[in-house]
Amino acid sequence: MNNWKVKYLERIVTPKQAVMHIKSGDRVVIGHACGEPPSLIEALVSRAADLIAVEIVHMVAMGPAKYAQLGMEKSFRHNAFFIGASTRKAFEEKRADFTPCFFSEIPRLFKNKILQVDVVLIQITPPDEQGYCSFGISVDYTQAATECAKLVIAQVNSYMPRTGGAKIHLDEIDFIVEKDEPLIELNPPKIGEVEKAIGENVAKLVQDGATLQLGIGAIPDAVLLFLKEKKDLGIHSEMFSDGVVALAESGVITNRKKTLNPGKFIATFLMGTRKLYDFVDKNPSVELHPVDYVNDPYVIGQHEKMISINSALQVDLMGQVNAEMIGSRQFSAVGGQVDYVRGTSRSLNGKSIIALPSTAAGGKISRITSELDRGAAVTTSRYDVHYIVTEYGAANLRGKNLRQRAEALISIAHPDFRVSLINEAQEKGIL
Ligand code: COA
């Protein structure tokens, strides 16, 4: 038997035995998004009564995040790089913390020991003949945390697709839990009329041969609906989802014209349904790499015709984009938005697009405002911003002065709010 096979068998434990090695006060990093290891998290949470002040570091938690639920606060303190549905309440109730960080820079926090990693909980594929496992759908910061952790605990799950790019050898793993279970899935979002209109406006900006980055949610998916007539699109995106599979199967996405990594879908994590996971499984044209490569603005900028498509909650008349806060309430985080806005600005014939509905709260609130709400943070600055798109059109802000920006943004605001926006802009001396 190969040496690694012997070691593999020696390292197999139950989930309960694996998490017995976690101590009070440890910092535990959890593999990202749909790639999180459910069995290991469940086992850790069931040790709550024995543990005090274990810091749980995670970004987009797609599982129930029981460690952040009420009653867990003495045992676990969640430190989030992103606030999502399952962790928002804990943060609002001061039972969790939020650490602002560009997605591309998270690996550096671990590598430079700014956040020392004691334990990492990951989910990977079974080993290949040489003893290498694939990180599957989450490489992002998961690989860096694994390299830096004092203790590596892995759930080996045959449902995990084997993706190209980053991999891990069994020698680097301390404890292995074999547990086959379906991965967490993200169902395609509902796309309404407003999203469709935005999608159509964004699609008009996409040239044949462009390389795309798509954020999460209804707007990026709506854009994909209107790209069916385009030719030779490529993907270099922090993540992609089911919508990309349909365009790849119909021959619209070929990756042929990419000026970096031609022929390849490049991503750092994936979220979707089993359809996506089957598409990427052993697919030689799909590679997942660490986020400090995929989201590095320098790498992004090497693609000609790079188009980034992200969303926001609010944009002011100077072009400052708030994509993460509703007033002083932290709703999400920067994710990879600024990595792509900055990278795309270096791309020859590139366009960074922030696409958002013109209103919120059933039409009662304009998302284009004379100033950002009190307490809100600027996610993409007015110096970095390029295109803003709503269902009413596209405003190209690059090279425009403040008066021209205000005019362009008011022209794509909801008609019900245009007069009040003009009045406010005049009061502020912008117009
Ligand atoms: N004032 C008050 N409420 C607002 C608002 C505003 N200006 N803008 C939005 N809201 C409300 C909406 O009405 C909605 O409420 P509901 O859930 O009760 O209907 C809620 O906030 C969420 O808004 P929505 O536009 O539906 O959010 P989304 O799910 O489409 O996500 C972002 C939009 C901006 C939060 C999300 O794209 C994000 O987090 N972006 C930053 C990270 C990023 O860009 N990553 C890129 C790579 S993945």
Side-chain angles (χ1 to χ4, degrees):
M1 206 187 292
N2 285 347
N3 193 25
W4 70 257
K5 284 187 183 160
V6 177
K7 282 193 202 157
Y8 180 78
L9 295 174
E10 284 170 1
R11 290 172 196 184
I12 293 177
V13 291
T14 64
K16 196 172 168 191
Q17 288 167 330
V19 300
M20 285 308 283
H21 298 271
I22 297 173
K23 304 183 297 300
S24 291
D26 274 351
R27 174 176 289 127
V28 178
V29 178
I30 295 183
H32 186 217
C34 295
E36 68 178 46
S39 289
L40 301 182
I41 298 173
E42 194 64 44
L44 176 60
V45 168
S46 58
R47 276 199 66 206
D50 314 332
L51 294 167
I52 299 169
V54 171
E55 181 184 330
I56 307 280
V57 176
H58 201 171
M59 192 166 163
V60 179
M62 294 298 290
K66 287 188 189 162
Y67 47 81
Q69 286 176 3
L70 193 61
M72 291 286 170
E73 53 273 24
K74 285 212 175 80
S75 314
F76 306 111
R77 180 97 190 159
H78 177 37
N79 183 5
F81 290 122
F82 195 91
I83 304 292
S86 56
T87 55
R88 201 168 284 132
K89 194 158 184 277
F91 178 68
E92 280 168 8
E93 293 174 356
K94 300 187 172 48
R95 292 181 286 104
D97 297 301
F98 167 62
T99 300
C101 189
F102 295 126
F103 197 2
S104 60
E105 292 189 358
I106 294 175
R108 223 170 298 161
L109 294 183
F110 302 145
K111 289 179 189 173
N112 293 349
K113 299 195 181 348
I114 297 167
L115 295 185
Q116 182 125 21
V117 184
D118 295 308
V119 184
V120 69
L121 304 181
I122 59 175
Q123 185 172 218
I124 52 176
T125 64
D128 65 13
E129 275 308 302
Q130 283 75 41
Y132 284 97
C133 306
S134 162
F135 282 98
I137 58 173
S138 160
V139 175
D140 42 63
Y141 64 75
T142 305
Q143 190 204 33
T146 305
E147 278 170 16
C148 299
K150 293 179 203 151
L151 185 72
V152 178
I153 304 176
Q155 176 174 348
V156 170
N157 184 353
S158 64
Y159 284 80
M160 182 63 95
R162 185 176 296 279
T163 53
K167 53 188 185 229
I168 176 170
H169 197 268
L170 284 167
D171 284 345
E172 295 165 52
I173 301 171
D174 297 294
F175 295 103
I176 293 161
V177 170
E178 284 187 319
K179 173 82 183 171
D180 292 337
E181 57 185 325
L183 301 182
I184 298 173
E185 295 188 19
L186 176 74
N187 288 317
K190 283 207 182 87
I191 300 175
E193 289 311 310
V194 170
E195 286 83 9
K196 279 192 192 154
I198 296 169
E200 202 167 0
N201 287 337
V202 171
K204 284 180 199 152
L205 298 171
V206 177
Q207 316 95 308
D208 288 339
T211 294
L212 305 179
Q213 175 260 330
L214 300 146
I216 311 166
I219 290 176
D221 276 33
V223 174
L224 293 170
L225 293 178
F226 294 93
L227 297 177
K228 291 179 182 149
E229 305 304 318
K230 306 280 177 186
K231 292 187 182 60
D232 285 322
L233 299 180
I235 297 291
H236 180 101
S237 187
E238 75 179 38
M239 57 86 65
F240 64 86
S241 201
D242 290 40
V244 161
V245 178
L247 280 187
E249 286 173 348
S250 64
V252 173
I253 296 175
T254 62
N255 295 305
R256 270 198 310 172
K257 295 280 169 72
K258 285 177 77 177
T259 47
L260 188 67
N261 299 308
K264 302 277 186 195
F265 293 84
I266 302 290
T268 198
F269 76 104
L270 300 165
M271 292 209 286
T273 67
R274 194 67 230 173
K275 185 178 173 196
L276 172 73
Y277 304 153
D278 287 341
F279 173 78
V280 300
D281 187 33
K282 302 186 197 77
N283 183 335
S285 67
V286 178
E287 287 183 9
L288 269 71
H289 294 285
V291 70
D292 43 349
Y293 172 78
V294 178
N295 279 29
D296 179 344
Y298 172 73
V299 170
I300 296 163
Q302 291 175 52
H303 298 85
E304 287 177 24
K305 297 187 194 169
M306 182 76 211
I307 309 259
S308 67
I309 303 164
N310 293 295
S311 193
L313 298 168
Q314 203 174 34
V315 180
D316 75 11
L317 292 181
M318 295 190 284
Q320 301 191 103
V321 176
N322 160 26
E324 57 185 294
M325 295 184 77
I326 298 178
S328 52
R329 184 174 158 230
Q330 189 72 43
F331 184 78
S332 60
V334 64
Q337 179 168 126
V338 172
D339 295 332
Y340 278 89
V341 168
R342 294 210 168 134
T344 300
S345 75
R346 315 297 300 185
S347 153
L348 186 67
N349 297 317
K351 294 172 191 158
S352 90
I353 299 168
I354 302 288
L356 75 170
S358 65
T359 63
K364 290 203 271 306
I365 297 172
S366 175
R367 296 203 197 206
I368 294 180
T369 48
S370 59
E371 55 188 42
L372 298 184
D373 284 351
R374 187 151 182 254
V378 174
T379 312
T380 290
S381 86
R382 60 186 182 161
Y383 298 100
D384 288 315
V385 74
H386 194 183
Y387 282 89
I388 304 289
V389 175
T390 70
E391 67 273 32
Y392 293 101
N396 179 358
L397 303 185
R398 179 135 321 144
K400 287 203 166 60
N401 62 39
L402 292 178
R403 181 178 45 77
Q404 291 166 330
R405 284 178 178 217
E407 282 168 357
L409 287 165
I410 292 169
S411 76
I412 59 162
H414 192 285
D416 290 353
F417 294 96
R418 288 183 196 168
V419 172
S420 58
L421 283 168
I422 290 170
N423 291 339
E424 287 168 38
Q426 284 170 343
E427 273 166 32
K428 288 179 187 300
I430 305 173
L431 286 180

